[in-house]
Amino acid sequence: MASYIVFSTLLLFFFNPSSTFAQQSFRPKALVVPVSKDASTLQYTTRISQRTPLVPINLVLDLGGQYLWVDCEQNYVSSTYRPARCHSAQCSLAKATGCGDCFSSPKPGCNNNTCGLTPGNTVTHTATGGELASDVVSVQSTTGSNPGPNVTVSQFLFACAPTFLLQGLAAGVSGMAGLGRTRISLPSQFASAFSFDRTFAICLSSSTRTDINGVVFFGDGPYVFLPRNVDVSQSLIYTRLYINPVSTASAFSQGDPSSEYFIQVNAINVNEKPVAINTTLLSIDGEGVGGTKISTVNPYTVLEASIFKAVTEMFISEAKARNITQTGATGPFEVCFSTENVLSTRVGPSVPSIDFVFQNNSTFWRVFGANSMVQVNDNVLCLGIVNGGENPRTSIVIGGLQLEDNLLQFDLAKSRLGFSSSLLFTQTTCANFNFTSIN
Ligand SMILES: *[C@@H]1O[C@H](CO)[C@@H](O)[C@H](O)[C@H]1NC(C)=O
Ligand SMILES: *[C@@H]1O[C@H](CO)[C@@H](O)[C@H](O)[C@H]1NC(C)=O
Ligand SMILES: *[C@@H]1O[C@H](CO)[C@@H](O)[C@H](O)[C@H]1NC(C)=O
Ligand SMILES: *[C@@H]1O[C@H](CO)[C@@H](O)[C@H](O)[C@H]1NC(C)=O
Ligand SMILES: *[C@@H]1O[C@H](CO)[C@@H](O)[C@H](O)[C@H]1NC(C)=O
Ligand SMILES: *[C@@H]1O[C@H](CO)[C@@H](O)[C@H](O)[C@H]1NC(C)=O
Ligand SMILES: *[C@@H]1O[C@H](CO)[C@@H](O)[C@H](O)[C@H]1NC(C)=O
Protein backbone atom coordinates (compact mmCIF):
# COMPACT_ATOMS: atom_id res chain seq x y z
CA MET A 1 0.00 0.00 0.00
CA ALA A 2 2.79 2.38 0.92
CA SER A 3 4.55 1.78 -2.37
CA TYR A 4 1.30 2.33 -4.20
CA ILE A 5 0.91 5.80 -2.75
CA VAL A 6 4.48 6.69 -3.63
CA PHE A 7 3.86 5.49 -7.14
CA SER A 8 0.71 7.54 -7.62
CA THR A 9 2.60 10.61 -6.53
CA LEU A 10 5.36 9.88 -8.98
CA LEU A 11 2.84 9.49 -11.75
CA LEU A 12 1.20 12.79 -10.99
CA PHE A 13 4.59 14.39 -11.06
CA PHE A 14 5.73 12.85 -14.30
CA PHE A 15 2.55 13.00 -16.29
CA ASN A 16 1.02 16.21 -15.08
CA PRO A 17 3.64 18.77 -14.28
CA SER A 18 1.29 21.67 -14.95
CA SER A 19 -2.30 20.68 -14.32
CA THR A 20 -3.91 17.74 -12.65
CA PHE A 21 -4.41 14.24 -13.91
CA ALA A 22 -8.10 14.90 -14.26
CA GLN A 23 -9.08 18.20 -15.82
CA GLN A 24 -12.15 18.98 -13.77
CA SER A 25 -12.85 21.72 -11.35
CA PHE A 26 -14.70 19.27 -9.11
CA ARG A 27 -13.67 15.84 -7.95
CA PRO A 28 -16.26 13.12 -8.61
CA LYS A 29 -17.05 10.67 -5.83
CA ALA A 30 -17.91 7.93 -8.29
CA LEU A 31 -18.36 7.24 -12.00
CA VAL A 32 -21.01 5.35 -13.90
CA VAL A 33 -21.09 3.51 -17.24
CA PRO A 34 -23.95 1.59 -18.90
CA VAL A 35 -23.71 -2.14 -19.67
CA SER A 36 -25.76 -3.96 -22.28
CA LYS A 37 -26.03 -7.64 -23.14
CA ASP A 38 -25.33 -8.71 -26.70
CA ALA A 39 -28.08 -11.03 -27.91
CA SER A 40 -25.95 -13.19 -30.17
CA THR A 41 -22.78 -13.69 -28.07
CA LEU A 42 -24.34 -13.13 -24.60
CA GLN A 43 -21.37 -10.87 -23.86
CA TYR A 44 -21.83 -7.80 -21.67
CA THR A 45 -20.66 -4.62 -23.34
CA THR A 46 -19.99 -1.18 -22.01
CA ARG A 47 -19.25 2.18 -23.57
CA ILE A 48 -16.73 4.88 -22.70
CA SER A 49 -15.42 7.84 -24.69
CA GLN A 50 -11.76 7.95 -25.70
CA ARG A 51 -9.35 10.02 -27.84
CA THR A 52 -9.25 13.63 -29.08
CA PRO A 53 -11.74 14.39 -30.44
CA LEU A 54 -13.70 12.03 -28.16
CA VAL A 55 -15.38 9.03 -29.78
CA PRO A 56 -17.65 6.56 -28.00
CA ILE A 57 -16.14 3.07 -28.04
CA ASN A 58 -17.94 -0.16 -27.22
CA LEU A 59 -16.01 -2.73 -25.21
CA VAL A 60 -16.68 -6.20 -23.88
CA LEU A 61 -16.78 -6.03 -20.09
CA ASP A 62 -14.22 -8.41 -18.57
CA LEU A 63 -14.47 -8.47 -14.78
CA GLY A 64 -11.16 -10.31 -14.30
CA GLY A 65 -9.40 -8.68 -17.28
CA GLN A 66 -6.06 -7.00 -16.68
CA TYR A 67 -6.65 -3.65 -18.40
CA LEU A 68 -8.32 -1.83 -21.26
CA TRP A 69 -7.24 -2.98 -24.69
CA VAL A 70 -8.39 -1.41 -27.90
CA ASP A 71 -8.02 -2.14 -31.62
CA CYS A 72 -5.59 0.55 -32.81
CA GLU A 73 -5.27 -0.84 -36.32
CA GLN A 74 -8.61 0.45 -37.57
CA ASN A 75 -10.04 3.95 -37.22
CA TYR A 76 -7.77 5.05 -34.39
CA VAL A 77 -7.42 8.80 -34.85
CA SER A 78 -6.42 10.95 -31.91
CA SER A 79 -4.20 13.95 -31.31
CA THR A 80 -3.58 12.88 -27.71
CA TYR A 81 -2.38 9.30 -28.30
CA ARG A 82 0.97 8.80 -26.55
CA PRO A 83 2.98 5.57 -26.69
CA ALA A 84 4.63 4.66 -23.37
CA ARG A 85 8.39 5.15 -23.64
CA CYS A 86 10.61 2.29 -22.54
CA HIS A 87 11.50 2.31 -18.84
CA SER A 88 8.97 5.07 -18.07
CA ALA A 89 6.89 5.14 -14.89
CA GLN A 90 3.94 4.10 -17.06
CA CYS A 91 5.76 0.95 -18.17
CA SER A 92 6.59 -0.04 -14.61
CA LEU A 93 3.05 0.65 -13.39
CA ALA A 94 1.81 -1.65 -16.17
CA LYS A 95 4.60 -4.18 -15.43
CA ALA A 96 5.55 -3.88 -19.09
CA THR A 97 9.21 -4.78 -18.95
CA GLY A 98 10.00 -5.30 -22.64
CA CYS A 99 11.21 -2.58 -24.97
CA GLY A 100 10.37 -2.67 -28.65
CA ASP A 101 10.62 -1.08 -32.04
CA CYS A 102 8.18 -1.24 -34.93
CA PHE A 103 9.38 -1.58 -38.49
CA SER A 104 6.67 0.27 -40.30
CA SER A 105 5.56 3.89 -40.42
CA PRO A 106 4.72 5.32 -36.98
CA LYS A 107 1.03 5.16 -36.01
CA PRO A 108 -1.00 4.21 -32.92
CA GLY A 109 0.18 0.73 -31.99
CA CYS A 110 3.45 1.08 -33.92
CA ASN A 111 6.16 3.26 -32.43
CA ASN A 112 9.81 2.86 -31.59
CA ASN A 113 11.21 2.74 -28.08
CA THR A 114 7.94 1.66 -26.47
CA CYS A 115 7.11 -0.96 -23.87
CA GLY A 116 4.56 -3.62 -24.71
CA LEU A 117 1.92 -5.78 -23.08
CA THR A 118 0.20 -8.98 -24.18
CA PRO A 119 -3.49 -8.09 -24.50
CA GLY A 120 -5.73 -11.13 -24.40
CA ASN A 121 -9.16 -11.96 -25.76
CA THR A 122 -10.48 -13.90 -22.76
CA VAL A 123 -13.47 -15.20 -24.74
CA THR A 124 -11.37 -17.04 -27.33
CA HIS A 125 -8.24 -17.36 -25.15
CA THR A 126 -6.06 -15.64 -27.72
CA ALA A 127 -3.30 -13.19 -26.85
CA THR A 128 -0.83 -11.12 -28.84
CA GLY A 129 1.72 -8.36 -28.39
CA GLY A 130 0.61 -4.74 -28.24
CA GLU A 131 2.04 -1.35 -27.44
CA LEU A 132 1.29 0.27 -24.09
CA ALA A 133 -0.10 3.75 -24.64
CA SER A 134 -2.17 6.47 -23.03
CA ASP A 135 -4.96 8.65 -24.31
CA VAL A 136 -7.84 10.73 -23.02
CA VAL A 137 -10.80 8.82 -21.54
CA SER A 138 -14.10 10.44 -20.59
CA VAL A 139 -16.92 8.96 -18.50
CA GLN A 140 -19.87 10.28 -16.56
CA SER A 141 -19.58 11.08 -12.86
CA THR A 142 -22.38 10.12 -10.49
CA THR A 143 -23.69 10.91 -7.05
CA GLY A 144 -25.16 7.42 -7.01
CA SER A 145 -28.62 8.17 -8.36
CA ASN A 146 -28.09 9.82 -11.78
CA PRO A 147 -25.14 10.52 -14.08
CA GLY A 148 -23.61 13.95 -13.47
CA PRO A 149 -21.03 15.94 -15.46
CA ASN A 150 -18.56 14.06 -17.66
CA VAL A 151 -15.05 13.81 -16.28
CA THR A 152 -11.82 13.17 -18.13
CA VAL A 153 -8.62 11.31 -17.40
CA SER A 154 -5.99 12.82 -19.65
CA GLN A 155 -3.50 9.95 -19.75
CA PHE A 156 -5.45 6.75 -19.34
CA LEU A 157 -3.25 3.69 -19.93
CA PHE A 158 -4.31 0.90 -22.27
CA ALA A 159 -2.84 -1.64 -24.66
CA CYS A 160 -3.12 -1.35 -28.42
CA ALA A 161 -4.14 -4.51 -30.20
CA PRO A 162 -4.41 -5.60 -33.80
CA THR A 163 -7.89 -5.98 -35.30
CA PHE A 164 -7.75 -9.78 -35.39
CA LEU A 165 -7.89 -9.90 -31.58
CA LEU A 166 -11.55 -8.80 -31.83
CA GLN A 167 -12.55 -12.12 -33.41
CA GLY A 168 -15.21 -13.81 -31.29
CA LEU A 169 -16.36 -10.58 -29.64
CA ALA A 170 -19.76 -8.92 -30.06
CA ALA A 171 -20.34 -6.95 -33.26
CA GLY A 172 -19.42 -3.29 -32.99
CA VAL A 173 -16.94 -3.57 -30.13
CA SER A 174 -13.37 -2.35 -30.42
CA GLY A 175 -11.76 -4.02 -27.43
CA MET A 176 -12.22 -5.23 -23.88
CA ALA A 177 -12.53 -3.34 -20.61
CA GLY A 178 -10.60 -5.18 -17.87
CA LEU A 179 -11.77 -4.57 -14.30
CA GLY A 180 -9.27 -7.00 -12.73
CA ARG A 181 -6.74 -6.85 -9.93
CA THR A 182 -3.95 -4.84 -11.52
CA ARG A 183 -2.64 -1.31 -11.11
CA ILE A 184 -3.86 -0.36 -14.59
CA SER A 185 -7.31 -1.92 -14.68
CA LEU A 186 -10.18 0.55 -15.11
CA PRO A 187 -11.11 0.62 -11.39
CA SER A 188 -7.47 1.22 -10.36
CA GLN A 189 -6.84 4.01 -12.83
CA PHE A 190 -10.12 5.79 -12.05
CA ALA A 191 -9.54 5.47 -8.31
CA SER A 192 -6.07 6.95 -8.55
CA ALA A 193 -7.07 9.69 -11.02
CA PHE A 194 -9.88 10.94 -8.79
CA SER A 195 -8.58 9.80 -5.39
CA PHE A 196 -11.61 7.71 -4.54
CA ASP A 197 -11.87 4.28 -2.99
CA ARG A 198 -10.56 1.30 -4.88
CA THR A 199 -14.07 -0.08 -5.04
CA PHE A 200 -16.44 -0.73 -7.89
CA ALA A 201 -19.76 -2.47 -8.43
CA ILE A 202 -21.33 -4.31 -11.34
CA CYS A 203 -25.03 -4.85 -11.90
CA LEU A 204 -25.79 -6.75 -15.12
CA SER A 205 -29.19 -6.70 -16.77
CA SER A 206 -30.67 -9.85 -18.22
CA SER A 207 -32.24 -7.93 -21.08
CA THR A 208 -30.68 -8.04 -24.54
CA ARG A 209 -32.68 -5.01 -25.66
CA THR A 210 -30.28 -2.25 -26.67
CA ASP A 211 -32.32 0.39 -24.85
CA ILE A 212 -32.16 -1.49 -21.53
CA ASN A 213 -28.89 -1.20 -19.66
CA GLY A 214 -27.27 -2.50 -16.52
CA VAL A 215 -24.56 -0.47 -14.85
CA VAL A 216 -21.01 -0.39 -13.51
CA PHE A 217 -20.17 2.08 -10.73
CA PHE A 218 -16.53 3.00 -10.10
CA GLY A 219 -16.12 4.20 -6.52
CA ASP A 220 -18.18 3.64 -3.40
CA GLY A 221 -21.97 3.83 -3.05
CA PRO A 222 -24.69 4.94 -2.79
CA TYR A 223 -25.89 2.79 -5.67
CA VAL A 224 -29.49 3.91 -6.15
CA PHE A 225 -32.13 2.13 -8.24
CA LEU A 226 -35.66 3.10 -9.29
CA PRO A 227 -38.58 2.88 -8.83
CA ARG A 228 -38.28 3.43 -5.10
CA ASN A 229 -34.75 4.87 -5.01
CA VAL A 230 -33.33 2.00 -2.98
CA ASP A 231 -29.63 2.32 -2.19
CA VAL A 232 -28.49 -1.24 -2.76
CA SER A 233 -25.08 -0.59 -1.13
CA GLN A 234 -26.88 -0.58 2.24
CA SER A 235 -27.97 -4.19 2.11
CA LEU A 236 -24.96 -6.16 0.93
CA ILE A 237 -23.68 -9.42 2.39
CA TYR A 238 -19.88 -9.71 2.45
CA THR A 239 -17.39 -12.48 1.84
CA ARG A 240 -13.63 -12.33 1.44
CA LEU A 241 -11.91 -11.98 -1.94
CA TYR A 242 -8.93 -14.24 -2.51
CA ILE A 243 -5.91 -13.86 -4.75
CA ASN A 244 -4.96 -16.81 -6.92
CA PRO A 245 -1.14 -16.71 -6.77
CA VAL A 246 -0.81 -18.13 -10.29
CA SER A 247 -1.97 -16.06 -13.28
CA THR A 248 -4.99 -17.36 -15.19
CA ALA A 249 -4.21 -15.18 -18.25
CA SER A 250 -3.30 -16.61 -21.67
CA ALA A 251 0.17 -15.07 -21.47
CA PHE A 252 1.95 -14.05 -18.28
CA SER A 253 5.29 -13.88 -16.52
CA GLN A 254 6.39 -16.39 -13.91
CA GLY A 255 5.24 -15.23 -10.48
CA ASP A 256 2.34 -13.09 -11.70
CA PRO A 257 -0.82 -13.57 -9.63
CA SER A 258 -4.18 -13.87 -11.36
CA SER A 259 -6.04 -10.62 -12.02
CA GLU A 260 -9.37 -12.46 -11.59
CA TYR A 261 -11.65 -12.32 -8.53
CA PHE A 262 -11.74 -15.51 -6.46
CA ILE A 263 -14.02 -16.28 -3.53
CA GLN A 264 -14.16 -19.26 -1.16
CA VAL A 265 -17.24 -21.41 -1.67
CA ASN A 266 -17.22 -24.01 1.12
CA ALA A 267 -20.39 -25.86 0.22
CA ILE A 268 -23.26 -25.93 -2.26
CA ASN A 269 -26.83 -26.57 -1.16
CA VAL A 270 -29.77 -27.46 -3.38
CA ASN A 271 -33.15 -26.73 -1.84
CA GLU A 272 -31.23 -26.03 1.38
CA LYS A 273 -29.79 -29.57 1.43
CA PRO A 274 -26.01 -29.97 1.29
CA VAL A 275 -24.58 -31.52 -1.89
CA ALA A 276 -21.72 -34.01 -1.31
CA ILE A 277 -18.71 -32.60 -3.12
CA ASN A 278 -14.95 -33.21 -2.99
CA THR A 279 -13.84 -30.25 -0.89
CA THR A 280 -10.25 -30.44 -2.20
CA LEU A 281 -11.60 -28.94 -5.43
CA LEU A 282 -12.94 -25.91 -3.56
CA SER A 283 -9.53 -24.54 -2.56
CA ILE A 284 -6.83 -23.05 -4.76
CA ASP A 285 -3.76 -25.30 -4.63
CA GLY A 286 -0.08 -24.37 -4.97
CA GLU A 287 -0.32 -24.47 -8.76
CA GLY A 288 -3.28 -22.09 -8.78
CA VAL A 289 -5.71 -24.91 -9.64
CA GLY A 290 -9.16 -25.18 -8.06
CA GLY A 291 -11.32 -22.68 -6.20
CA THR A 292 -14.13 -20.40 -7.34
CA LYS A 293 -14.02 -17.28 -9.47
CA ILE A 294 -16.54 -14.83 -10.85
CA SER A 295 -16.54 -14.20 -14.58
CA THR A 296 -18.49 -11.95 -16.93
CA VAL A 297 -17.10 -13.66 -20.04
CA ASN A 298 -18.72 -17.01 -19.23
CA PRO A 299 -22.44 -16.71 -19.97
CA TYR A 300 -23.29 -19.58 -17.59
CA THR A 301 -21.75 -21.02 -14.43
CA VAL A 302 -19.27 -23.78 -15.17
CA LEU A 303 -18.78 -26.61 -12.65
CA GLU A 304 -16.00 -29.21 -12.57
CA ALA A 305 -17.41 -32.58 -13.73
CA SER A 306 -17.87 -34.26 -10.32
CA ILE A 307 -19.40 -31.12 -8.79
CA PHE A 308 -21.64 -30.74 -11.85
CA LYS A 309 -22.83 -34.33 -11.49
CA ALA A 310 -23.54 -34.02 -7.76
CA VAL A 311 -25.35 -30.68 -8.07
CA THR A 312 -27.46 -31.67 -11.07
CA GLU A 313 -28.44 -35.06 -9.60
CA MET A 314 -29.71 -33.35 -6.48
CA PHE A 315 -31.43 -30.65 -8.54
CA ILE A 316 -33.20 -33.26 -10.71
CA SER A 317 -34.40 -35.21 -7.68
CA GLU A 318 -35.62 -32.09 -5.87
CA ALA A 319 -37.39 -30.98 -9.06
CA LYS A 320 -39.00 -34.40 -9.38
CA ALA A 321 -40.35 -34.05 -5.84
CA ARG A 322 -42.19 -30.99 -7.19
CA ASN A 323 -43.57 -33.03 -10.11
CA ILE A 324 -41.30 -31.24 -12.57
CA THR A 325 -40.33 -33.71 -15.29
CA GLN A 326 -36.94 -33.94 -16.92
CA THR A 327 -36.68 -33.79 -20.74
CA GLY A 328 -33.72 -34.24 -23.12
CA ALA A 329 -30.58 -32.11 -23.23
CA THR A 330 -30.79 -28.95 -25.37
CA GLY A 331 -27.87 -27.03 -26.80
CA PRO A 332 -25.13 -26.53 -24.21
CA PHE A 333 -27.48 -27.61 -21.40
CA GLU A 334 -27.48 -31.19 -20.13
CA VAL A 335 -30.35 -30.76 -17.68
CA CYS A 336 -33.73 -29.63 -18.99
CA PHE A 337 -37.34 -29.85 -17.80
CA SER A 338 -40.86 -29.55 -19.07
CA THR A 339 -42.38 -26.20 -18.12
CA GLU A 340 -45.49 -28.07 -16.99
CA ASN A 341 -45.90 -27.83 -13.18
CA VAL A 342 -43.35 -25.00 -12.99
CA LEU A 343 -44.97 -22.02 -11.33
CA SER A 344 -43.84 -18.44 -11.87
CA THR A 345 -42.66 -16.28 -8.99
CA ARG A 346 -41.22 -12.80 -8.60
CA VAL A 347 -37.74 -14.37 -8.72
CA GLY A 348 -38.40 -16.46 -11.80
CA PRO A 349 -39.59 -20.04 -12.32
CA SER A 350 -40.23 -21.88 -9.07
CA VAL A 351 -37.46 -24.50 -9.06
CA PRO A 352 -35.13 -25.79 -6.30
CA SER A 353 -32.81 -23.04 -5.02
CA ILE A 354 -29.02 -23.36 -5.30
CA ASP A 355 -26.87 -21.82 -2.56
CA PHE A 356 -23.18 -21.04 -2.67
CA VAL A 357 -22.17 -21.18 0.99
CA PHE A 358 -19.22 -19.05 2.14
CA GLN A 359 -17.45 -18.58 5.50
CA ASN A 360 -20.32 -19.96 7.56
CA ASN A 361 -23.71 -21.52 7.02
CA SER A 362 -25.52 -18.21 7.38
CA THR A 363 -23.48 -16.50 4.66
CA PHE A 364 -24.66 -17.75 1.31
CA TRP A 365 -25.62 -16.54 -2.14
CA ARG A 366 -28.98 -18.05 -3.04
CA VAL A 367 -29.69 -18.56 -6.73
CA PHE A 368 -33.39 -18.59 -7.67
CA GLY A 369 -35.06 -19.61 -10.93
CA ALA A 370 -34.49 -16.26 -12.67
CA ASN A 371 -30.74 -16.86 -12.27
CA SER A 372 -30.67 -20.63 -12.72
CA MET A 373 -33.04 -21.39 -15.60
CA VAL A 374 -32.97 -20.65 -19.32
CA GLN A 375 -36.24 -20.83 -21.23
CA VAL A 376 -35.25 -22.53 -24.49
CA ASN A 377 -38.81 -22.65 -25.88
CA ASP A 378 -42.43 -22.52 -24.68
CA ASN A 379 -42.27 -26.03 -23.28
CA VAL A 380 -38.70 -26.42 -22.07
CA LEU A 381 -36.64 -24.82 -19.32
CA CYS A 382 -32.99 -25.78 -18.86
CA LEU A 383 -30.65 -25.45 -15.91
CA GLY A 384 -28.24 -22.70 -17.02
CA ILE A 385 -25.14 -24.38 -15.62
CA VAL A 386 -22.63 -26.21 -17.78
CA ASN A 387 -20.22 -29.09 -17.26
CA GLY A 388 -16.59 -27.97 -17.09
CA GLY A 389 -15.17 -31.46 -17.51
CA GLU A 390 -12.45 -33.07 -15.41
CA ASN A 391 -9.41 -31.17 -14.16
CA PRO A 392 -10.41 -27.64 -15.19
CA ARG A 393 -8.13 -24.85 -14.04
CA THR A 394 -10.85 -23.39 -11.76
CA SER A 395 -13.47 -25.72 -10.23
CA ILE A 396 -16.36 -23.24 -10.10
CA VAL A 397 -16.76 -20.29 -12.45
CA ILE A 398 -19.82 -18.25 -11.52
CA GLY A 399 -20.99 -16.83 -14.86
CA GLY A 400 -23.25 -14.18 -16.35
CA LEU A 401 -26.73 -15.67 -15.95
CA GLN A 402 -26.11 -16.16 -12.25
CA LEU A 403 -24.86 -12.57 -11.83
CA GLU A 404 -27.76 -10.80 -13.54
CA ASP A 405 -29.97 -8.55 -11.43
CA ASN A 406 -27.61 -9.03 -8.49
CA LEU A 407 -25.34 -6.14 -7.52
CA LEU A 408 -21.77 -7.17 -6.74
CA GLN A 409 -19.35 -4.76 -5.11
CA PHE A 410 -15.62 -5.47 -5.29
CA ASP A 411 -13.79 -3.65 -2.52
CA LEU A 412 -10.09 -3.97 -3.20
CA ALA A 413 -8.94 -2.03 -0.15
CA LYS A 414 -10.91 -4.27 2.21
CA SER A 415 -10.45 -7.31 -0.05
CA ARG A 416 -14.09 -8.26 0.10
CA LEU A 417 -17.03 -8.93 -2.18
CA GLY A 418 -20.43 -7.50 -1.27
CA PHE A 419 -23.42 -9.12 -2.92
CA SER A 420 -27.05 -8.13 -2.88
CA SER A 421 -28.79 -11.39 -3.83
CA SER A 422 -31.58 -11.02 -6.38
CA LEU A 423 -32.79 -7.44 -6.71
CA LEU A 424 -36.07 -8.86 -7.98
CA PHE A 425 -36.98 -9.40 -4.30
CA THR A 426 -36.71 -5.69 -3.65
CA GLN A 427 -38.82 -5.06 -6.75
CA THR A 428 -36.05 -3.54 -8.80
CA THR A 429 -33.57 -4.77 -11.42
CA CYS A 430 -30.10 -3.83 -12.62
CA ALA A 431 -31.80 -2.00 -15.52
CA ASN A 432 -33.35 0.49 -13.09
CA PHE A 433 -30.52 2.95 -12.68
CA ASN A 434 -31.79 6.39 -13.74
CA PHE A 435 -29.52 7.29 -16.67
CA THR A 436 -31.08 10.76 -17.10
CA SER A 437 -28.12 13.02 -16.47
CA ILE A 438 -28.16 16.04 -14.22
CA ASN A 439 -25.37 18.49 -14.90
C1 LIG B 1 12.10 2.54 -35.89
O1 LIG B 1 13.47 2.62 -36.13
C2 LIG B 1 13.88 1.92 -37.29
C3 LIG B 1 15.41 1.94 -37.37
O2 LIG B 1 15.89 3.20 -37.05
C4 LIG B 1 13.23 2.53 -38.51
O3 LIG B 1 13.60 1.80 -39.66
C5 LIG B 1 11.73 2.47 -38.32
O4 LIG B 1 11.09 3.11 -39.41
C6 LIG B 1 11.32 3.13 -37.04
N1 LIG B 1 9.91 2.87 -36.83
C7 LIG B 1 9.05 3.80 -36.40
C8 LIG B 1 7.66 3.35 -36.20
O5 LIG B 1 9.36 4.95 -36.20
C1 LIG C 1 -21.11 13.05 -21.64
O1 LIG C 1 -20.89 11.70 -21.98
C2 LIG C 1 -22.03 11.06 -22.52
C3 LIG C 1 -21.74 9.59 -22.68
O2 LIG C 1 -20.41 9.30 -22.66
C4 LIG C 1 -22.39 11.72 -23.84
O3 LIG C 1 -23.54 11.11 -24.38
C5 LIG C 1 -22.67 13.19 -23.59
O4 LIG C 1 -22.88 13.84 -24.82
C6 LIG C 1 -21.50 13.86 -22.87
N1 LIG C 1 -21.91 15.17 -22.46
C7 LIG C 1 -21.18 16.25 -22.72
C8 LIG C 1 -21.70 17.53 -22.20
O5 LIG C 1 -20.12 16.19 -23.34
C1 LIG D 1 -10.73 -34.88 -4.80
O1 LIG D 1 -10.13 -34.00 -5.75
C2 LIG D 1 -8.70 -34.06 -5.73
C3 LIG D 1 -8.22 -32.95 -6.67
O2 LIG D 1 -8.72 -33.15 -7.97
C4 LIG D 1 -8.25 -35.42 -6.14
O3 LIG D 1 -6.83 -35.47 -6.10
C5 LIG D 1 -8.82 -36.45 -5.17
O4 LIG D 1 -8.51 -37.75 -5.60
C6 LIG D 1 -10.34 -36.32 -5.10
N1 LIG D 1 -10.87 -37.15 -4.05
C7 LIG D 1 -11.81 -38.04 -4.26
C8 LIG D 1 -12.27 -38.81 -3.07
O5 LIG D 1 -12.33 -38.20 -5.37
C1 LIG E 1 -47.34 -34.62 -7.63
O1 LIG E 1 -48.25 -35.38 -8.35
C2 LIG E 1 -48.87 -36.40 -7.54
C3 LIG E 1 -49.72 -37.27 -8.43
O2 LIG E 1 -50.36 -36.50 -9.42
C4 LIG E 1 -49.68 -35.72 -6.44
O3 LIG E 1 -50.24 -36.69 -5.62
C5 LIG E 1 -48.74 -34.87 -5.61
O4 LIG E 1 -49.48 -34.14 -4.63
C6 LIG E 1 -48.00 -33.89 -6.49
N1 LIG E 1 -46.97 -33.22 -5.68
C7 LIG E 1 -46.76 -31.92 -5.72
C8 LIG E 1 -45.63 -31.40 -4.85
O5 LIG E 1 -47.38 -31.18 -6.44
C1 LIG F 1 -20.98 -15.62 9.62
O1 LIG F 1 -20.07 -14.72 9.00
C2 LIG F 1 -20.49 -13.37 9.05
C3 LIG F 1 -19.54 -12.55 8.22
O2 LIG F 1 -18.23 -13.01 8.30
C4 LIG F 1 -20.54 -12.93 10.51
O3 LIG F 1 -20.94 -11.59 10.57
C5 LIG F 1 -21.55 -13.79 11.23
O4 LIG F 1 -21.55 -13.45 12.61
C6 LIG F 1 -21.21 -15.27 11.08
N1 LIG F 1 -22.31 -16.04 11.59
C7 LIG F 1 -22.15 -17.10 12.35
C8 LIG F 1 -23.38 -17.81 12.78
O5 LIG F 1 -21.02 -17.49 12.67
C1 LIG G 1 -23.03 -26.19 8.00
O1 LIG G 1 -24.03 -27.07 7.53
C2 LIG G 1 -23.53 -28.34 7.22
C3 LIG G 1 -24.65 -29.14 6.59
O2 LIG G 1 -25.89 -28.85 7.16
C4 LIG G 1 -23.02 -29.01 8.48
O3 LIG G 1 -22.49 -30.27 8.17
C5 LIG G 1 -21.89 -28.15 9.04
O4 LIG G 1 -21.44 -28.66 10.26
C6 LIG G 1 -22.37 -26.73 9.25
N1 LIG G 1 -21.23 -25.90 9.57
C7 LIG G 1 -21.23 -25.07 10.58
C8 LIG G 1 -19.96 -24.28 10.77
O5 LIG G 1 -22.19 -24.93 11.30
C1 LIG H 1 -34.75 10.30 -13.34
O1 LIG H 1 -34.02 11.44 -12.96
C2 LIG H 1 -34.52 12.65 -13.49
C3 LIG H 1 -33.53 13.75 -13.10
O2 LIG H 1 -33.39 13.83 -11.73
C4 LIG H 1 -35.90 12.91 -12.95
O3 LIG H 1 -36.41 14.10 -13.49
C5 LIG H 1 -36.78 11.74 -13.34
O4 LIG H 1 -38.06 11.90 -12.75
C6 LIG H 1 -36.17 10.43 -12.86
N1 LIG H 1 -36.96 9.33 -13.40
C7 LIG H 1 -37.76 8.60 -12.65
C8 LIG H 1 -38.50 7.51 -13.36
O5 LIG H 1 -37.88 8.78 -11.46
Side-chain angles (χ1 to χ4, degrees), residues 47-49 54 56 138-140 148-150 439:
R47 178 189 289 241
I48 62 172
S49 295
L54 287 169
S138 170
V139 289
Q140 291 178 303
N150 293 350
N439 283 306

Side-chain angles (χ1 to χ4, degrees), residues 101-107 110-112:
D101 283 345
C102 182
F103 296 94
S104 164
S105 56
K107 54 176 174 285
C110 178
N111 290 281
N112 279 344

Side-chain angles (χ1 to χ4, degrees), residues 46-115:
T46 188
R47 178 189 289 241
I48 62 172
S49 295
Q50 195 203 31
R51 309 169 203 183
T52 304
L54 287 169
V55 285
I57 54 169
N58 294 319
L59 303 160
V60 171
L61 188 74
D62 183 6
L63 176 66
Q66 303 179 83
Y67 39 74
L68 169 65
W69 66 258
V70 171
D71 169 19
C72 291
E73 220 169 50
Q74 273 185 68
N75 311 320
Y76 199 110
V77 180
S78 175
S79 62
T80 43
Y81 179 90
R82 301 281 179 271
R85 293 299 165 205
C86 293
H87 314 300
S88 62
Q90 292 176 314
C91 297
S92 30
L93 191 70
K95 292 186 166 180
T97 45
C99 190
D101 283 345
C102 182
F103 296 94
S104 164
S105 56
K107 54 176 174 285
C110 178
N111 290 281
N112 279 344
N113 187 31
T114 59
C115 60

